[in-house]
Amino acid sequence: MEAAGYSYQFRIALLGDAGVGKTSLLRCYVAGARGAAEPDPEPTVGVEFYSRALQLPAGLRVKLQLWDTAGQECFRCITRSFYRNMVGILLVFDVTNRESFEHIQAWHQEVVSTQGPDKVVFLLVGHKCDLSTRCVSSQEAEELAASLGMGFMETSAKSNCNVDLAFDTVTSAIEQALQQGDIKLDKDWAGVRLLHRSPNPRSSSRKQDSGTCQC
């Protein structure tokens, strides 16, 4: 697809420990039910890239650049170099893995120390909510998210629960921050790019998921 077909380009990354399901979330979001049915992916090496077109309810057309980052410490020097050019971050932990939840603050601090807290829209994501062996409660995760100034959502790529809603929530928050002037276009920053100025935006027919995860 040509860039002229979009109004903006947003760069969004998924961060979190290895094995929390970042790749599965992205594949499910990009490919839908087909992506959810794929077998568990191999661990990401370095950084991988996905994309998806989206039209927001206000009529804004957006091209999302979605970056899947490796969670292993040995790749951290590679992934850190991408933080500066991200406008959206999904901080992902596994609700059945206590350690991955305890590392969220460190992941958040890495991004904030790289480009400051004002240029990034964060969302805390508790993944694998379809599993019954959880060791992190929704209340505890909500409290952490509130302390860090971000929203929280539970998802499951396996059951395709709240996957679209998580990405759409971040995208809508970025669009709102742009309209309010909280995030500004900068030619030296690739987090947001103006690709095409559409004079007559149309209303979107796309439906968003609603409600919390029931898995």
Side-chain angles (χ1 to χ4, degrees):
M1 297 182 182
E2 296 183 0
Y6 303 97
S7 298
Y8 287 97
Q9 173 184 283
F10 296 163
R11 283 191 174 188
I12 298 173
L14 276 71
L15 302 182
D17 286 4
V20 298
K22 301 184 295 294
T23 303
S24 295
L25 277 172
L26 274 171
R27 287 184 178 180
C28 184
Y29 181 60
V30 172
R34 178 170 56 85
E38 291 181 358
D40 291 341
E42 294 295 322
T44 301
V45 177
V47 177
E48 295 181 0
F49 167 78
Y50 297 77
S51 66
R52 177 168 169 174
L54 189 67
Q55 186 161 333
L56 301 182
L60 183 69
R61 299 183 70 190
V62 177
K63 179 178 182 181
L64 301 181
Q65 281 194 356
L66 304 166
W67 299 81
D68 182 15
T69 62
Q72 298 95 325
E73 180 65 33
C74 59
F75 295 115
R76 200 67 62 84
C77 62
I78 299 175
T79 58
R80 283 195 189 104
S81 65
F82 289 87
Y83 298 169
R84 190 177 301 278
N85 286 308
M86 296 296 160
V87 68
I89 299 287
L90 277 71
L91 295 172
V92 185
F93 69 93
D94 177 351
V95 299
T96 70
N97 182 338
R98 181 81 193 174
E99 189 175 20
S100 70
F101 174 71
E102 293 173 347
H103 291 164
I104 286 295
Q105 292 191 63
W107 286 106
H108 176 258
Q109 183 56 40
E110 277 199 1
V111 178
V112 171
S113 64
T114 300
Q115 63 165 314
D118 300 328
K119 263 192 172 181
V120 189
V121 172
F122 288 96
L123 179 68
L124 180 62
V125 175
H127 192 219
K128 305 184 184 181
C129 68
D130 58 293
L131 300 179
S132 60
T133 54
R134 71 157 61 226
C135 56
V136 180
S137 69
S138 299
Q139 180 179 352
E140 188 175 11
E142 288 172 355
E143 290 173 354
L144 175 61
S147 72
L148 296 175
M150 65 183 71
F152 167 67
M153 191 172 297
E154 291 193 344
T155 62
S156 168
K158 185 175 181 179
S159 61
N160 198 8
C161 177
N162 283 348
V163 176
D164 278 14
L165 184 59
F167 287 93
D168 293 354
T169 296
V170 171
T171 304
S172 296
I174 295 169
E175 187 269 340
Q176 184 178 8
L178 274 173
Q179 298 303 320
Q180 295 175 347
D182 297 329
I183 293 176
K184 295 180 174 61
L185 293 172
D186 185 340
K187 66 179 181 179
D188 297 322
W189 180 58
V192 177
R193 290 292 192 211
L194 178 63
L195 300 179
H196 176 65
R197 192 178 300 279
S198 177
N200 296 306
R202 297 178 180 178
S203 297
S204 171
S205 60
R206 174 184 170 85
K207 293 183 179 180
Q208 288 189 345
D209 297 333
S210 61
T212 57
C213 185
Q214 300 297 321
C215 34

